[in-house]
Amino acid sequence: MHRNARRRRDRRGDDRDRVGCLGLLIMPPAFLVGLAVAIHASRHHERPDAATDPAITWMQVARTVLGLAATGWLLYTYPLREGAGDVLEDRLVEALVSALILVGVTPLALTAFVLAARPPLRPVYRRRLGGPLTSLGALFAGALLYGLGPILMEQDQNGGGGLLLGLAASVLFLSGGLFSLASAILAVHHAFRTAEVHEVLPPLLSPVLVWAMFVVQLLDNPPVTAPLWVRITFLFGPPLSVTALSAWELRRLRVHHGRTLRGALGREPAVAV
């Protein structure tokens, strides 16, 4: 009896050790993803005058879930044109390209928006630029860390920098890559927190992004060998659905919350900030 009890205690100890090791492996990636969520999630709802609409949030989540389900069905139903690793790499590259497109478009759109607003509103919008600038800066910081990793690795191989330099290079490469990927996905999803400047900006920017990605995908080979009608559906489906959702969101903001682009710029008698 004592021997069996000792065996059970030893097994429980081994299980705790395995759980502890697994926790050590999961904690750093979870921390990096959580950090990216904390940085890139929009906080426009914290403003006293914010227009928060659960229906808009629900529709955005529903469209994302349907898009992921449709992509999963496509990859499961038809044979892959390339290996699974290559297809995954292509999808990750598309996420980074989406972020890069927004990196170029967002500052121009924000600058044009602030300059087009009436003079009394410009200081208000300039004070709200902290969120988008933080999101942009975090994306650049992650890319910088990711780029420093290979540089330190090469320096370690050429100059024999020692164990610490090699370990630092590996940590920067892995953590920078994971943070950059999470930041790219979240920054695109939240449109670089531009809702904190005004709620009409994300639905105006999203169609620009998806139609730019449409051109990128038009020049690229499809990931699966599927019939022509399926490829056309999945090529036009994302930009058309996002454009329709953005138009519906703008209409809902106008009808239920009185938020319009003209009102945001102070071009209407009743200014909705």
Side-chain angles (χ1 to χ4, degrees), residues 207-225:
V208 176
L209 170 65
V210 293
W211 284 107
M213 289 306 302
F214 167 81
V215 175
V216 173
Q217 293 175 347
L218 192 64
L219 301 176
D220 194 11
N221 292 323
V224 297
T225 304

mmCIF file of all heavy atoms in Angstrom, residues 207-225:
data_model
loop_
_atom_site.group_PDB
_atom_site.id
_atom_site.type_symbol
_atom_site.label_atom_id
_atom_site.label_comp_id
_atom_site.label_asym_id
_atom_site.label_seq_id
_atom_site.Cartn_x
_atom_site.Cartn_y
_atom_site.Cartn_z
ATOM 1 N N PRO A 207 -12.200 49.308 -46.927
ATOM 2 C CA PRO A 207 -12.305 48.962 -48.349
ATOM 3 C C PRO A 207 -11.038 49.254 -49.144
ATOM 4 O O PRO A 207 -10.707 48.514 -50.077
ATOM 5 C CB PRO A 207 -13.474 49.839 -48.833
ATOM 6 C CG PRO A 207 -14.276 50.111 -47.616
ATOM 7 C CD PRO A 207 -13.283 50.220 -46.507
ATOM 8 N N VAL A 208 -10.321 50.317 -48.773
ATOM 9 C CA VAL A 208 -9.058 50.608 -49.461
ATOM 10 C C VAL A 208 -8.089 49.439 -49.298
ATOM 11 O O VAL A 208 -7.423 48.997 -50.246
ATOM 12 C CB VAL A 208 -8.436 51.909 -48.907
ATOM 13 C CG1 VAL A 208 -7.074 52.167 -49.543
ATOM 14 C CG2 VAL A 208 -9.367 53.083 -49.142
ATOM 15 N N LEU A 209 -8.020 48.903 -48.087
ATOM 16 C CA LEU A 209 -7.112 47.793 -47.814
ATOM 17 C C LEU A 209 -7.497 46.547 -48.596
ATOM 18 O O LEU A 209 -6.650 45.923 -49.255
ATOM 19 C CB LEU A 209 -7.112 47.498 -46.316
ATOM 20 C CG LEU A 209 -6.397 46.211 -45.897
ATOM 21 C CD1 LEU A 209 -4.914 46.296 -46.185
ATOM 22 C CD2 LEU A 209 -6.643 45.919 -44.428
ATOM 23 N N VAL A 210 -8.775 46.150 -48.538
ATOM 24 C CA VAL A 210 -9.165 44.886 -49.160
ATOM 25 C C VAL A 210 -9.066 44.947 -50.683
ATOM 26 O O VAL A 210 -8.738 43.948 -51.327
ATOM 27 C CB VAL A 210 -10.580 44.464 -48.723
ATOM 28 C CG1 VAL A 210 -10.608 44.120 -47.246
ATOM 29 C CG2 VAL A 210 -11.601 45.539 -49.041
ATOM 30 N N TRP A 211 -9.329 46.114 -51.276
ATOM 31 C CA TRP A 211 -9.200 46.195 -52.727
ATOM 32 C C TRP A 211 -7.727 46.231 -53.143
ATOM 33 O O TRP A 211 -7.372 45.732 -54.222
ATOM 34 C CB TRP A 211 -9.957 47.401 -53.267
ATOM 35 C CG TRP A 211 -11.433 47.162 -53.298
ATOM 36 C CD1 TRP A 211 -12.379 47.690 -52.480
ATOM 37 C CD2 TRP A 211 -12.138 46.277 -54.195
ATOM 38 N NE1 TRP A 211 -13.629 47.204 -52.805
ATOM 39 C CE2 TRP A 211 -13.508 46.341 -53.854
ATOM 40 C CE3 TRP A 211 -11.738 45.449 -55.244
ATOM 41 C CZ2 TRP A 211 -14.483 45.605 -54.532
ATOM 42 C CZ3 TRP A 211 -12.714 44.716 -55.929
ATOM 43 C CH2 TRP A 211 -14.062 44.808 -55.562
ATOM 44 N N ALA A 212 -6.859 46.792 -52.289
ATOM 45 C CA ALA A 212 -5.426 46.699 -52.560
ATOM 46 C C ALA A 212 -4.967 45.245 -52.479
ATOM 47 O O ALA A 212 -4.159 44.782 -53.307
ATOM 48 C CB ALA A 212 -4.646 47.568 -51.577
ATOM 49 N N MET A 213 -5.463 44.501 -51.484
ATOM 50 C CA MET A 213 -5.123 43.081 -51.380
ATOM 51 C C MET A 213 -5.723 42.288 -52.536
ATOM 52 O O MET A 213 -5.156 41.275 -52.959
ATOM 53 C CB MET A 213 -5.628 42.527 -50.052
ATOM 54 C CG MET A 213 -4.863 43.025 -48.838
ATOM 55 S SD MET A 213 -3.076 42.739 -48.962
ATOM 56 C CE MET A 213 -3.032 40.961 -49.173
ATOM 57 N N PHE A 214 -6.853 42.728 -53.061
ATOM 58 C CA PHE A 214 -7.441 42.077 -54.232
ATOM 59 C C PHE A 214 -6.468 42.136 -55.411
ATOM 60 O O PHE A 214 -6.283 41.152 -56.128
ATOM 61 C CB PHE A 214 -8.762 42.768 -54.584
ATOM 62 C CG PHE A 214 -9.311 42.398 -55.927
ATOM 63 C CD1 PHE A 214 -10.026 41.222 -56.094
ATOM 64 C CD2 PHE A 214 -9.116 43.218 -57.038
ATOM 65 C CE1 PHE A 214 -10.539 40.877 -57.335
ATOM 66 C CE2 PHE A 214 -9.623 42.881 -58.274
ATOM 67 C CZ PHE A 214 -10.337 41.703 -58.426
ATOM 68 N N VAL A 215 -5.833 43.282 -55.602
ATOM 69 C CA VAL A 215 -4.855 43.413 -56.693
ATOM 70 C C VAL A 215 -3.666 42.487 -56.450
ATOM 71 O O VAL A 215 -3.172 41.834 -57.377
ATOM 72 C CB VAL A 215 -4.391 44.880 -56.810
ATOM 73 C CG1 VAL A 215 -3.292 45.013 -57.860
ATOM 74 C CG2 VAL A 215 -5.572 45.779 -57.168
ATOM 75 N N VAL A 216 -3.205 42.407 -55.189
ATOM 76 C CA VAL A 216 -2.078 41.523 -54.860
ATOM 77 C C VAL A 216 -2.436 40.075 -55.158
ATOM 78 O O VAL A 216 -1.656 39.327 -55.767
ATOM 79 C CB VAL A 216 -1.678 41.699 -53.384
ATOM 80 C CG1 VAL A 216 -0.628 40.668 -52.975
ATOM 81 C CG2 VAL A 216 -1.138 43.108 -53.149
ATOM 82 N N GLN A 217 -3.621 39.639 -54.734
ATOM 83 C CA GLN A 217 -4.038 38.256 -54.958
ATOM 84 C C GLN A 217 -4.317 37.978 -56.426
ATOM 85 O O GLN A 217 -4.159 36.845 -56.894
ATOM 86 C CB GLN A 217 -5.275 37.945 -54.116
ATOM 87 C CG GLN A 217 -5.001 37.951 -52.628
ATOM 88 C CD GLN A 217 -6.260 37.756 -51.809
ATOM 89 O OE1 GLN A 217 -7.380 37.848 -52.326
ATOM 90 N NE2 GLN A 217 -6.094 37.516 -50.520
ATOM 91 N N LEU A 218 -4.734 39.007 -57.155
ATOM 92 C CA LEU A 218 -4.987 38.836 -58.589
ATOM 93 C C LEU A 218 -3.699 38.498 -59.332
ATOM 94 O O LEU A 218 -3.708 37.758 -60.324
ATOM 95 C CB LEU A 218 -5.609 40.110 -59.145
ATOM 96 C CG LEU A 218 -6.204 40.049 -60.551
ATOM 97 C CD1 LEU A 218 -7.381 39.091 -60.588
ATOM 98 C CD2 LEU A 218 -6.645 41.427 -61.004
ATOM 99 N N LEU A 219 -2.574 39.030 -58.847
ATOM 100 C CA LEU A 219 -1.278 38.786 -59.479
ATOM 101 C C LEU A 219 -0.611 37.518 -58.964
ATOM 102 O O LEU A 219 0.408 37.101 -59.504
ATOM 103 C CB LEU A 219 -0.347 39.985 -59.232
ATOM 104 C CG LEU A 219 -0.849 41.337 -59.761
ATOM 105 C CD1 LEU A 219 0.114 42.438 -59.355
ATOM 106 C CD2 LEU A 219 -1.011 41.294 -61.274
ATOM 107 N N ASP A 220 -1.183 36.894 -57.921
ATOM 108 C CA ASP A 220 -0.587 35.714 -57.311
ATOM 109 C C ASP A 220 -1.365 34.472 -57.733
ATOM 110 O O ASP A 220 -2.529 34.553 -58.137
ATOM 111 C CB ASP A 220 -0.588 35.858 -55.792
ATOM 112 C CG ASP A 220 0.322 34.833 -55.128
ATOM 113 O OD1 ASP A 220 1.089 34.177 -55.852
ATOM 114 O OD2 ASP A 220 0.252 34.697 -53.890
ATOM 115 N N ASN A 221 -0.721 33.310 -57.618
ATOM 116 C CA ASN A 221 -1.396 32.056 -57.911
ATOM 117 C C ASN A 221 -2.319 31.673 -56.759
ATOM 118 O O ASN A 221 -1.991 31.896 -55.593
ATOM 119 C CB ASN A 221 -0.379 30.936 -58.131
ATOM 120 C CG ASN A 221 0.431 31.134 -59.398
ATOM 121 O OD1 ASN A 221 -0.096 31.606 -60.401
ATOM 122 N ND2 ASN A 221 1.702 30.786 -59.363
ATOM 123 N N PRO A 222 -3.492 31.084 -57.062
ATOM 124 C CA PRO A 222 -4.390 30.654 -55.982
ATOM 125 C C PRO A 222 -3.749 29.521 -55.182
ATOM 126 O O PRO A 222 -2.960 28.733 -55.716
ATOM 127 C CB PRO A 222 -5.638 30.177 -56.727
ATOM 128 C CG PRO A 222 -5.157 29.835 -58.103
ATOM 129 C CD PRO A 222 -4.040 30.784 -58.401
ATOM 130 N N PRO A 223 -4.091 29.395 -53.884
ATOM 131 C CA PRO A 223 -3.444 28.369 -53.056
ATOM 132 C C PRO A 223 -3.907 26.945 -53.367
ATOM 133 O O PRO A 223 -3.227 25.992 -52.995
ATOM 134 C CB PRO A 223 -3.848 28.768 -51.630
ATOM 135 C CG PRO A 223 -5.132 29.514 -51.810
ATOM 136 C CD PRO A 223 -5.012 30.234 -53.120
ATOM 137 N N VAL A 224 -5.067 26.782 -54.017
ATOM 138 C CA VAL A 224 -5.600 25.448 -54.279
ATOM 139 C C VAL A 224 -5.938 25.312 -55.756
ATOM 140 O O VAL A 224 -6.091 26.305 -56.485
ATOM 141 C CB VAL A 224 -6.870 25.184 -53.435
ATOM 142 C CG1 VAL A 224 -6.548 25.220 -51.952
ATOM 143 C CG2 VAL A 224 -7.963 26.186 -53.767
ATOM 144 N N THR A 225 -6.051 24.053 -56.184
ATOM 145 C CA THR A 225 -6.500 23.754 -57.541
ATOM 146 C C THR A 225 -8.016 23.576 -57.502
ATOM 147 O O THR A 225 -8.532 22.511 -57.190
ATOM 148 C CB THR A 225 -5.814 22.480 -58.064
ATOM 149 O OG1 THR A 225 -4.389 22.636 -57.983
ATOM 150 C CG2 THR A 225 -6.200 22.206 -59.500
#
